[in-house]
Amino acid sequence: FCGISVPSSVIARLECVRHDDEAVKKIGCEIAAEMCRKISTPSHSKKEEGSDGDDAHVHVDGFHFYTLNLERSTTRILANLGAVDVISDSVSSRSSSLPEKQHNGIIKNKMNDVNTAEGNQDHNGSKIPGRDRQGSISEGARSTRRVLPWKPSAMENRSKEDVRPINWSNRPKSYVMRTDDWDEYPNGRWGDSTSPAFGELSELSHFYSFTLGSDDDRRAMLGNCPLVESDIYEVFARYVEGTVPHIPWCETPLHPESFLFQPQLAKLNRYGLLTVNSQPPVDSVPSNHPAFGWGGKGGRVYQKGYVECFASPDKANRLTRMVTSHPNMNLYAVNYSGQELRVGVEEGGVTALTWGVFPNREILQPTIFDPDTFLVWAEEAFSLWSSMWLNLYDYESESYELVEKIRDTYYLVAIIDNDFTSGGKDKTTFPLLDSLFKVGKESSS
């Protein structure tokens, strides 16, 4: 929404590590430190030629960092600038002045030699009341790969939220905005989505569109002049392959678990099944698994196969017949006009798509599919064809009419494979993906 473009030099540095969150953070801190050095050097601070005033230089007194509860990133920037010394674990472990659990991350400030441990002590080493965040979601996320399959909100009023519908997995900011005024957030189970406590999914997100840069930037990603449907298919496929950074329905890069079947998923999109969400089945995988793990140590995680895609009327009907012949599968589809297709989906029936079993905890089911909520998401999904793609082209141009036709005629299709034990030994595909691949290939021949 700022209307800015990321410099090519930054994109080049991030390209090779774009799937590694920790490496991206490290490079981001390096870039921030470089900017601070440049701003504070006299050569950069000189006034522009011809400007008024007697001073030869503009003096920069310092920099103000908004940590937004990410104090470690700020500490890393300060360390890069030489403003603080970060004492290593090996050094701090020899200190006897602090309790053992506070040794990690001690910072020594060069100006006043103030020691702090995670920001929870005052200058005298005394505990600051109300600042102990041990056991919070943000702290848990540091000690495990993922505390939940989706990134929890940092807002205090959502601290207990641990269930979300899968549909907004790739547009989490939109979901947070649409549920911002809820009195409660689902905890333990999704329950009745029409509950007054949860409220309605507001219309606010229709004003939310993450920036894809200028119109020229968007055309470079989505197509300068698409003329046939295969041109649109190619954009979706290139997003899966990582050469297109975003599409309107996906503000985040492809999830790590999707890398396992990335080539097949890209080919599926080139067949005209335009995926916006997917996950493979998982049966009792350790919670520390590098791709599927979440929720802490000693647990086991599970998930059902799920694929959500845009499909032409012909392909949607073929998918309906395919699911009808597979008793373990359910299908729910709707088009721009509100026409629905259902196979095995009951009115008001909520399906757990991801769940986990952990020591000393009840079973967690953080990701669900709710038919009523899917209809709300579908309205948003179809609106994105207009607000972020259709408006790039001149009214009644061939490109405009192509995108408009897809928006008006295609179905948004959600398919669940309830047999989560069907993953098999081949980790590069799964039964639901194979079935979709067959439908896509047949309908394209």
Side-chain angles (χ1 to χ4, degrees), residues 26 43 52 64 76 89 178 192 282 303 361 383:
K26 182 179 179 182
S43 60
D52 296 331
H64 188 107
R76 182 179 282 174
D89 288 349
R178 298 193 71 162
D192 183 1
V282 170
Q303 62 188 39
R361 301 188 70 179
S383 76

Side-chain angles (χ1 to χ4, degrees), residues 167-168 171 174 178 201-206 249 308 310 334-338 372-387 407 412:
N167 313 101
W168 282 268
R171 277 179 60 85
S174 175
R178 298 193 71 162
L201 283 155
S202 73
E203 298 295 326
L204 183 61
S205 77
H206 289 288
W249 303 269
E308 189 178 310
F310 288 104
V334 64
N335 66 9
Y336 185 63
S337 302
D372 295 332
T373 304
F374 174 71
L375 292 178
V376 179
W377 158 246
E379 182 182 356
E380 177 176 333
F382 281 110
S383 76
L384 293 173
W385 283 105
S386 302
S387 63
R407 181 201 65 185
L412 181 63

